Amino acid sequence: METVKLYSTSSEREVYDNMAALYAIIMSLECLERAFARDSVSAHDYTTECNKLLLQYKTVSQMISQEELTDFPQKYRLNCPAASRRLEVGIPSTIEHSSTSSGSISNAKHIAEAVQGFITINDALGLNMRSVDKLHPLLTDLLQSINATALIPADFKWKATFRDWLIKLNQMKASDELDDDQVRQLMFEVEQAFHEFKTTLGTTE
């Protein structure tokens, strides 16, 4: 029986290798999401592994055409709704959703981190730092700190706003930059969120 080769050149082989890596990442992420939903993995381990898989996906996705990347799950009939959602958001569930900590010391720490996060993003935008790879981690850290602050209610509206920004950034390339209108809008929303954050905590400017 004649062996059928999937590729005939090194470049074709690289394409198949990248597709295989993409498949492994997506299915691993699906298993991880389901395991976390069943409480079979700790929040700490989940967050660590999820961040690693998301980073690997980002790396591999740069080696595959956007069309192939978009059609991949349907083309290969992958049943991966949880992984698809996580890839769309671009951050672990533990960061996307509220996860408050009790204790005054812990809460004070998260408040300080959130305040620093607001200031850092404003400074970054003011210094014309607008690329995805610069802003995404700053927004991720900010949202995580807000979620961890026990005195901030779960329905604090700016959580959803920052999640939407993260989703938008996650759908862009790392080297892409926000345009002037987007920068102005993000700065406005960060300032408004910071004001309401302090108001909610009962502080004044």
Side-chain angles (χ1 to χ4, degrees), residues 139-152:
L139 277 171
T140 298
D141 289 345
L142 174 60
L143 181 57
Q144 186 172 19
S145 297
I146 294 174
N147 281 337
T149 303
L151 297 178
I152 298 298

Side-chain angles (χ1 to χ4, degrees), residues 19-191:
M19 300 294 272
L22 184 62
Y23 175 86
I25 292 168
I26 293 175
M27 297 313 297
S28 295
L29 187 55
E30 179 70 19
C31 291
L32 179 63
E33 290 292 312
R34 292 178 181 271
F36 183 61
R38 295 194 303 268
D39 202 24
S40 299
V41 59
S42 70
H44 177 271
D45 289 344
Y46 162 80
T47 303
T48 300
E49 291 303 314
C50 188
N51 275 323
K52 183 173 72 173
L53 288 170
L54 289 172
L55 179 60
Q56 290 173 340
Y57 177 84
K58 199 75 173 178
T59 300
V60 174
S61 66
Q62 295 176 355
M63 307 174 189
I64 299 174
S65 70
Q66 186 59 47
E67 181 180 359
E68 190 69 44
L69 194 64
T70 303
D71 296 340
F72 190 84
Q74 183 177 2
K75 182 178 180 179
Y76 295 99
R77 300 179 181 179
L78 302 185
N79 181 24
C80 52
S84 296
R85 166 60 183 172
R86 192 56 42 216
L87 291 171
E88 177 188 17
V89 176
I91 54 177
S93 177
T94 45
I95 297 177
E96 180 187 6
H97 303 293
S98 298
S99 179
T100 58
S101 302
S102 59
S104 58
I105 296 178
S106 177
N107 199 46
K109 172 177 177 289
H110 295 310
I111 291 173
E113 290 174 344
V115 169
Q116 184 60 51
F118 280 115
I119 294 172
T120 299
I121 292 178
N122 259 333
D123 288 347
L125 293 171
L127 292 171
N128 205 34
M129 294 171 59
R130 54 178 67 190
S131 63
V132 171
D133 60 347
K134 298 294 185 183
L135 295 176
H136 192 284
L138 297 181
L139 277 171
T140 298
D141 289 345
L142 174 60
L143 181 57
Q144 186 172 19
S145 297
I146 294 174
N147 281 337
T149 303
L151 297 178
I152 298 298
D155 60 353
F156 186 64
K157 71 176 184 178
W158 298 104
K159 293 181 181 182
T161 299
F162 293 142
R163 279 197 296 268
D164 290 343
W165 273 107
L166 284 169
I167 292 174
K168 181 182 296 184
L169 293 175
N170 194 56
Q171 294 171 344
M172 300 166 66
K173 295 180 180 179
S175 58
D176 286 346
E177 295 186 345
L178 299 183
D179 59 30
D180 290 342
D181 288 341
Q182 289 173 319
V183 169
R184 184 173 181 177
Q185 183 65 32
L186 180 55
M187 288 186 71
F188 172 78
E189 291 175 348
V190 168
E191 290 170 359

